[in-house]
Amino acid sequence: MDINWLRDFVCLGRTLNFTRAAEERNITQSAFSRRIKSLENWLGEPLIDRATYPVRLSSGGEAFLPIAQDTIAQLTEARQAIRQAASSDARFQRFAVLHAISLNFLSPRLGALEAAHPELRTRVISDSLSTCCQLLAEGSCEFLMYYRHQDVAPVMDETQFVRKDIGREILLPVAEAGVATRKGWYLPGKTGQDIPYLSYDPNTFLGTVVDQIIGGRTTSLVQRYRDALAEALKRRALGGSGVAWLPESSVTQELASGRLVRVGGRDWQARMTISLFCSPEKLDETGRLIWESFPEIS
């Protein structure tokens, strides 16, 4: 038995889609399917009804899903308890955060907290949305922070945790000022014009939001580069490689200095909320202090 088989099955039980589950687990679909099959062989019963589309859990799979979820949670909690008991150091308060939020939102706020509370110890785990959600669900972190958008469905069951909306962010299209002006880059673009497009990986949260922004509209965008990280797209944009949608907080200085310019109106932007999640009953005194230090926006 491999605990990753259980994690794969829980992910599949939520998505009911082999392709999407494999993407969230960051493995190929063929490898993902083999691991699900290995779990079924270990149990001796099929967990998935593959005769339907979309796939659905078999009766055995429906019965086993909560067991798999509880087993993952118990093993993770036991691991954390053993690690904490073996360490004489003060406990770290752990945040699972999207890369862009870690750089542009969380880091300065943690700096202020540490100045007020010198004994505070924090660890930030910057990763993909699915991994961050998994870390909170498994109890491997105290706090989860991610973007939310009205047209993008949550990756996890948010009702299992307490949520606090703590910030706003705008995702907007930008490009290097000199190149954009010289070549006339401005969305949606002109007939016969090619505007190089620096895109997010399609399975990332920001990639999904940009897809919602573009929608079915006709544009001159031609995809030239793809990356999962906003900071990587920012560097390419600054180099004049094309147009990228970036969080406004990550390009404030560049927009003010004129190095980057907006290349689309308000209808090419998206407003997002920054949300903080936790399980209050699992927080210690320091964790509760951190939770209270993030004021909720109206």
Side-chain angles (χ1 to χ4, degrees):
M1 164 60 70
D2 184 336
I3 190 173
N4 283 318
W5 298 353
L6 297 179
R7 289 174 173 148
D8 292 342
F9 174 62
V10 169
C11 185
L12 182 58
R14 175 171 52 78
T15 62
L16 297 179
N17 185 294
F18 274 86
T19 301
R20 180 180 172 189
E23 289 176 349
E24 289 190 12
R25 295 290 292 147
N26 199 28
I27 60 174
T28 64
Q29 185 172 339
S30 58
F32 183 86
S33 297
R34 286 196 298 271
R35 290 190 349 190
I36 293 295
K37 191 64 178 177
S38 295
L39 179 60
E40 290 177 319
N41 290 338
W42 183 82
L43 282 168
E45 291 290 337
L47 298 171
I48 308 297
D49 183 355
R50 295 171 174 82
T52 63
Y53 183 82
V55 298
R56 64 185 182 187
L57 300 182
S58 66
S59 58
E62 291 178 350
F64 185 66
L65 181 59
I67 297 173
Q69 293 168 327
D70 289 344
T71 300
I72 293 170
Q74 290 174 19
L75 287 173
T76 303
E77 289 177 4
R79 179 187 64 188
Q80 295 301 325
I82 291 170
R83 286 179 176 178
Q84 290 170 14
S87 173
S88 59
D89 293 337
R91 178 179 175 183
F92 279 81
Q93 299 293 322
R94 299 160 299 177
F95 290 79
V97 192
L98 296 181
H99 292 89
I101 297 178
S102 175
L103 284 171
N104 305 308
F105 183 87
L106 179 59
S107 183
R109 285 160 177 80
L110 286 184
L113 266 174
E114 290 161 359
H117 305 279
E119 74 287 355
L120 182 64
R121 296 166 64 90
T122 57
R123 179 189 176 194
V124 176
I125 307 164
S126 298
D127 214 310
S128 67
L129 178 57
S130 59
T131 299
C132 289
C133 291
Q134 179 179 310
L135 289 171
L136 182 66
E138 293 178 355
S140 297
C141 65
E142 282 70 47
F143 303 100
L144 166 67
M145 196 176 290
Y146 66 60
Y147 293 125
R148 298 174 71 251
H149 185 271
Q150 60 182 4
D151 295 328
V152 179
V155 170
M156 68 175 187
D157 182 1
E158 295 184 352
T159 62
Q160 296 182 17
F161 309 97
V162 174
R163 187 188 97 218
K164 181 189 291 188
D165 294 335
I166 57 174
R168 307 284 188 201
E169 182 65 278
I170 297 176
L171 194 65
L172 69 162
V174 299
E176 196 277 327
V179 178
T181 300
R182 186 169 63 252
K183 297 190 175 182
W185 292 347
Y186 200 83
L187 297 172
K190 303 173 184 177
T191 302
Q193 179 187 40
D194 285 348
I195 301 177
Y197 171 35
L198 314 174
S199 77
Y200 294 97
D201 281 343
N203 60 327
T204 61
F205 177 83
L206 293 180
T208 303
V209 174
V210 175
D211 285 344
Q212 294 283 350
I213 295 172
I214 297 174
R217 292 187 282 187
T218 300
T219 74
S220 298
L221 293 171
V222 179
Q223 191 174 92
R224 299 295 190 197
Y225 178 75
R226 178 184 291 178
D227 204 301
L229 300 181
E231 192 63 23
L233 297 184
K234 176 182 173 180
R235 293 192 179 192
R236 294 299 306 272
L238 284 168
S241 297
V243 170
W245 268 264
L246 296 172
E248 186 176 35
S249 62
S250 73
V251 294
T252 300
Q253 293 182 356
E254 290 79 8
L255 289 172
S257 67
R259 294 181 66 194
L260 293 175
V261 293
R262 302 169 188 248
V263 293
R266 292 183 179 274
D267 57 329
W268 293 97
Q269 301 177 3
R271 293 186 176 275
M272 303 181 296
T273 302
I274 300 174
S275 297
L276 180 67
F277 296 84
C278 77
S279 295
E281 70 278 3
K282 295 182 180 180
L283 298 180
D284 61 13
E285 183 177 351
T286 303
R288 290 191 290 272
L289 182 151
I290 290 176
W291 176 258
E292 294 300 326
S293 71
F294 285 93
E296 187 163 15
I297 59 175
S298 57

